[in-house]
Amino acid sequence: GAVVSQHPSRVICKSGTSVKIECRSLDFQATTMFWYRQFPKQSLMLMATSNEGSKATYEQGVEKDKFLINHASLTLSTLTVTSAHPEDSSFYICSADAMEGVAFFGQGTRLTVV
Amino acid sequence: DAKTTQPTSMDCAEGRAANLPCNHSTISGNEYVYWYRQIHSQGPQYIIHGLKNNETNEMASLIITEDRKSSTLILPHATLRDTAVYYCIVRAHTGGFKTIFGAGTRLFVKA
């Protein structure tokens, strides 16, 4: 099946700093990628849709200035958590659709802000 | 996207079939049924999908009712490694549509 790779898998950062998470589609091109966050014992919550060559679209309640998304190529989308605070600590997951609308997901990034 | 309803949790004995139900009574004619699972601290994994016919692959079988308002995912011989949260999702099958997750079913496979 298609492979989506996410990096890093874990990151610890200090409060007030920024963190960048990368999401790559390894064996297919993705004009659209998606970013989710997941809190413990909860389901995945869609944050934003990343569109290659254009601005991302954010779900209601998600701060676009806090979660910067860049989709510069057909195989790479990045999520930058700016001025991170402890409440931003979460599990972040990206996905991209391959054939027939099947979504393939990255391994996830565990962000801890201290 | 159509909303789905799944039981919160289910138990299954190792080696037995696990049957996970999903209701999607408001599914549209062009929407497919997709199943994913998420093992703790990992990204979701695709299992199977279908439109109206029953489907089978190396992981599971998908049974969709004739009126398409519900479906069942069948893991024929559950193992301990199948313990996970299983998500039933309905959406259009062309790329770029959002995949929206509900609460899913937490399946516990017991020895």
Side-chain angles (χ1 to χ4, degrees), chain A residues 39-71:
Chain A
F39 293 108
K41 299 191 183 300
Q42 294 186 20
S43 186
L44 283 77
M45 183 190 78
L46 180 65
M47 299 174 64
T49 302
S50 172
N51 304 297
E52 189 269 335
S54 65
K55 291 183 178 181
T57 54
Y58 292 81
E59 297 299 302
Q60 191 173 8
V62 177
E63 300 176 58
K64 62 180 181 180
D65 294 331
K66 176 135 187 89
F67 299 100
L68 300 180
I69 291 172
N70 183 275
H71 194 151

Side-chain angles (χ1 to χ4, degrees), chain B residues 81-92:
Chain B
R81 287 175 295 180
D82 292 322
T83 293
V85 179
Y86 287 77
Y87 297 99
C88 167
I89 293 166
V90 294
R91 54 159 279 185

Side-chain angles (χ1 to χ4, degrees), chain A residues 7-8 11 13 17-23 35 68 70 76-82 109 111:
Chain A
H7 178 81
V11 58
C13 72
T17 62
S18 296
V19 173
K20 180 185 285 188
I21 303 169
E22 292 187 349
C23 179
W35 288 95
L68 300 180
N70 183 275
L76 173 64
S77 175
T78 60
L79 169 69
T80 301
V81 183
T82 63
T109 297
L111 171 62

Side-chain angles (χ1 to χ4, degrees), chain B residues 81-110:
Chain B
R81 287 175 295 180
D82 292 322
T83 293
V85 179
Y86 287 77
Y87 297 99
C88 167
I89 293 166
V90 294
R91 54 159 279 185
H93 77 293
T94 48
F97 281 83
K98 300 175 185 179
T99 298
I100 304 297
F101 287 80
T105 296
R106 190 170 296 273
L107 175 68
F108 296 94
V109 180
K110 299 182 177 181

Side-chain angles (χ1 to χ4, degrees), chain B:
Chain B
D1 288 347
K3 185 175 174 60
T4 62
T5 305
Q6 300 178 250
T8 302
S9 66
M10 296 181 64
D11 289 346
C12 177
E14 188 178 22
R16 304 297 293 269
N19 297 287
L20 291 87
C22 179
N23 287 321
H24 32 79
S25 59
T26 59
I27 190 170
S28 300
N30 66 338
E31 290 181 320
Y32 281 56
V33 180
Y34 296 82
W35 282 83
Y36 297 86
R37 71 180 183 185
Q38 185 179 27
I39 296 170
H40 183 62
S41 294
Q42 297 182 22
Q45 175 191 23
Y46 164 75
I47 301 173
I48 198 167
H49 74 287
L51 179 63
K52 56 182 179 181
N53 298 319
N54 298 338
E55 302 287 346
T56 296
N57 63 19
E58 65 278 4
M59 290 183 67
S61 294
L62 173 61
I63 309 297
I64 302 174
T65 58
E66 192 169 342
D67 63 7
R68 301 209 322 124
K69 293 185 177 181
S70 65
S71 61
T72 301
L73 178 74
I74 301 172
L75 307 179
H77 305 287
T79 70
L80 299 179
R81 287 175 295 180
D82 292 322
T83 293
V85 179
Y86 287 77
Y87 297 99
C88 167
I89 293 166
V90 294
R91 54 159 279 185
H93 77 293
T94 48
F97 281 83
K98 300 175 185 179
T99 298
I100 304 297
F101 287 80
T105 296
R106 190 170 296 273
L107 175 68
F108 296 94
V109 180
K110 299 182 177 181

